[in-house]
Amino acid sequence: QVDVAAMVQLFGYVDVTDTGFIVAVLSIAFNPFFWNVVARWEHKTRALSQVFGSPRAACYCLGTAILVLNCVRSHCFTEAMKSQPKLEGWVCHWTYYSGLAISAVGTLFVVSSFLALGFTGTFLGDYFGILMEEKVTSFPFSVLDNPMYWGSTAIYLGWSLMHASPAGLLLTAVVAISYTIAVLYEGPFTEEIYRKKQKGGKSK
């Protein structure tokens, strides 16, 4: 059971009206919204592919924009943590190294996901018509669905523990929620893209 009193006490350290905290929440929520809207628009209109001359060039452009936005998100996340109180009871070696280990595992999932999918596979290439031959089932997809998202969430969780930051933990929860919504939004649409590909292959 969740200790509600402990949760209330923990988040009593967080000033949710702080400008830096609000900016961090907005940056976290904006990123998946941005890439889903742009990718679906591209899938429907092929406008980016026309502007950049090819689907691959357009995908690389969107991927670069996503990377920049992720850097902005991480900066806002870190600044929000710095502006809020630490939980003094967590300022110890055990918490720091636990957070470091969690971040390392998260980094492993993110990097291995990227290596397994490649740039276009990672950055919504299927919305641009750049489809993979078959579903990737190697590590880390063999142990976890959406390892890129949950690896990223683990990095933020570890970073928050390393800084003994209740604000960081709350922001990590926002990250997890935003990715959960993204998965629910992206999953069926991506499956439909590959379902149409299979039908097209069978009809030839």
Side-chain angles (χ1 to χ4, degrees), residues 144-157:
L144 183 68
D145 289 332
N146 306 296
M148 179 73 73
Y149 285 170
W150 306 128
S152 179
T153 303
I155 291 172
Y156 285 117
L157 174 58

Side-chain angles (χ1 to χ4, degrees), residues 56 59 112-138 141 190 193-198:
R56 192 168 294 274
C59 182
S112 58
S113 296
F114 181 82
L115 293 176
L117 294 174
F119 192 95
T120 56
T122 299
F123 294 107
L124 304 166
D126 38 15
Y127 289 71
F128 292 79
I130 308 170
L131 305 181
M132 304 188 76
E133 291 300 322
E134 57 185 10
K135 183 177 180 180
V136 177
T137 57
S138 59
F141 295 90
T190 303
I193 291 174
Y194 281 92
R195 192 177 297 116
K196 289 181 178 178
K197 177 194 175 186
Q198 291 177 348

Side-chain angles (χ1 to χ4, degrees), residues 34 57-71 119 123:
F34 167 79
C59 182
Y60 270 84
C61 179
L62 177 60
T64 301
I66 292 172
L67 288 172
V68 171
L69 286 172
N70 285 347
C71 289
F119 192 95
F123 294 107

Side-chain angles (χ1 to χ4, degrees), residues 68-121:
V68 171
L69 286 172
N70 285 347
C71 289
V72 172
R73 177 183 63 182
S74 295
H75 173 74
C76 293
F77 188 104
T78 302
E79 290 302 308
M81 284 199 304
K82 290 180 179 178
S83 68
Q84 303 259 359
K86 291 186 176 183
L87 193 62
E88 295 302 326
W90 288 5
V91 182
C92 61
H93 291 304
W94 186 89
T95 303
Y96 180 85
Y97 287 113
S98 294
L100 185 62
I102 292 171
S103 290
V105 171
T107 301
L108 173 63
F109 280 126
V110 170
V111 173
S112 58
S113 296
F114 181 82
L115 293 176
L117 294 174
F119 192 95
T120 56

